[in-house]
Amino acid sequence: EAQVTQNPRYLITVTGKKLTVTCSQNMNHEYMSWYRQDPGLGLRQIYYSMNVEVTDKGDVPEGYKVSRKEKRNFPLILESPSPNQTSLYFCASRGRFSAGNTGELFFGEGSRLTVL
Amino acid sequence: AQSVAQPEDQVNVAEGNPLTVKCTYSVSGNPYLFWYVQYPNRGLQFLLKYITGDNLVKGSYGFEAEFNKSQTSFHLKKPSALVSDSALYFCAAGVGGFKTIFGAGTRLFVKA
């Protein structure tokens, strides 16, 4: 089954304790992205990756890091989490734009993070 | 700045009535336009898209959307709402070949 898998789904942590949210896709997609969802703000892009070893900042990258060492994995790292990073996080992927692929995103189920 | 606007935080409709969820966009060039739906405790699911061609596009679960270039709108519609359609709906625009801009979302309540 084609899917994007995120872990953990729920996490409560404390300020300053490093954490990683993993994301893996099994569709051989080139493009992967992280979003955070906050009430009234929709989805805001944190980082994205066009392919292995190619990453770039989205609209709200402060406080986050990513890496793309393998095509299927795109972990989100919070080196020193703060309460303003309490949010619902989504990983998404899609294939390269082509005649047969027009860019719809496939989303994971979300990771709800609370930073105390 | 490029943006997608969903002017209604919430839309209420009775089951069996038609529904419309509004979306307008402000992006350069010819955007790819999408609608996604989010059910409680789930990720977003793709509903439909407009790339080019016919201004009325049909998608999953009986939904359709009408692209209007002059009004820069891409409203989501369904002729007869179901209680199970109650969810959070996001309009989005694909720009620049790799970026997707999302609206803030509209919560749809369908009352039995």
Side-chain angles (χ1 to χ4, degrees):
Chain A
E1 179 187 356
Q3 59 185 0
V4 178
T5 304
Q6 297 178 226
N7 281 295
R9 293 287 314 279
Y10 301 91
L11 179 63
I12 300 175
T13 190
V14 296
T15 299
K17 186 176 181 181
K18 180 180 178 179
L19 67 92
T20 299
V21 186
T22 63
C23 174
S24 179
Q25 50 92 6
N26 64 359
M27 295 167 279
N28 200 36
H29 284 165
E30 287 84 2
Y31 177 90
M32 298 185 74
S33 183
W34 277 102
Y35 296 88
R36 60 178 288 173
Q37 182 182 8
D38 301 289
L41 298 177
L43 273 75
R44 294 179 293 169
Q45 190 177 48
I46 303 170
Y47 270 94
Y48 64 92
S49 169
M50 296 298 290
N51 214 324
V52 176
E53 302 291 4
V54 181
T55 64
D56 206 349
K57 296 177 181 178
D59 298 315
V60 288
E62 295 79 18
Y64 304 95
K65 286 176 56 177
V66 293
S67 67
R68 186 91 181 272
K69 292 180 169 42
E70 305 167 282
K71 196 172 186 178
R72 62 183 293 125
N73 296 323
F74 190 45
L76 179 70
I77 303 158
L78 285 72
E79 293 272 3
S80 183
S82 62
N84 65 9
Q85 292 178 297
T86 292
S87 187
L88 179 58
Y89 292 87
F90 287 102
C91 180
S93 72
R94 64 162 172 77
R96 185 181 304 172
F97 280 120
S98 66
N101 178 4
T102 46
E104 57 265 36
L105 291 162
F106 292 79
F107 283 84
E109 295 284 273
S111 297
R112 186 168 292 281
L113 171 65
T114 301
V115 183
L116 301 175
Chain B
Q2 303 188 99
S3 63
V4 173
Q6 293 180 241
E8 302 154 316
D9 292 335
Q10 184 171 312
V11 170
N12 298 311
V13 65
E15 188 173 36
N17 284 0
L19 70 87
T20 298
V21 182
K22 296 179 180 177
C23 171
T24 59
Y25 64 91
S26 176
V27 300
S28 56
N30 296 315
Y32 293 179
L33 298 168
F34 305 87
W35 276 101
Y36 292 87
V37 59
Q38 184 182 27
Y39 298 102
N41 300 314
R42 301 296 301 276
L44 279 72
Q45 299 174 32
F46 168 74
L47 267 183
L48 52 77
K49 65 188 174 189
Y50 172 83
I51 305 301
T52 187
D54 195 345
N55 289 341
L56 185 65
V57 294
K58 295 187 182 299
S60 307
Y61 312 119
F63 283 93
E64 57 191 27
E66 186 170 11
F67 172 69
N68 187 317
K69 188 172 184 178
S70 63
Q71 296 184 5
T72 62
S73 66
F74 188 56
H75 300 332
L76 181 70
K77 300 182 179 186
K78 188 174 183 181
S80 179
L82 300 172
V83 172
S84 57
D85 292 330
S86 298
L88 186 57
Y89 290 82
F90 289 97
C91 182
V95 297
F98 55 85
K99 187 175 179 66
T100 303
I101 302 172
F102 286 86
T106 298
R107 190 164 298 280
L108 173 67
F109 285 103
V110 182
K111 185 176 180 180

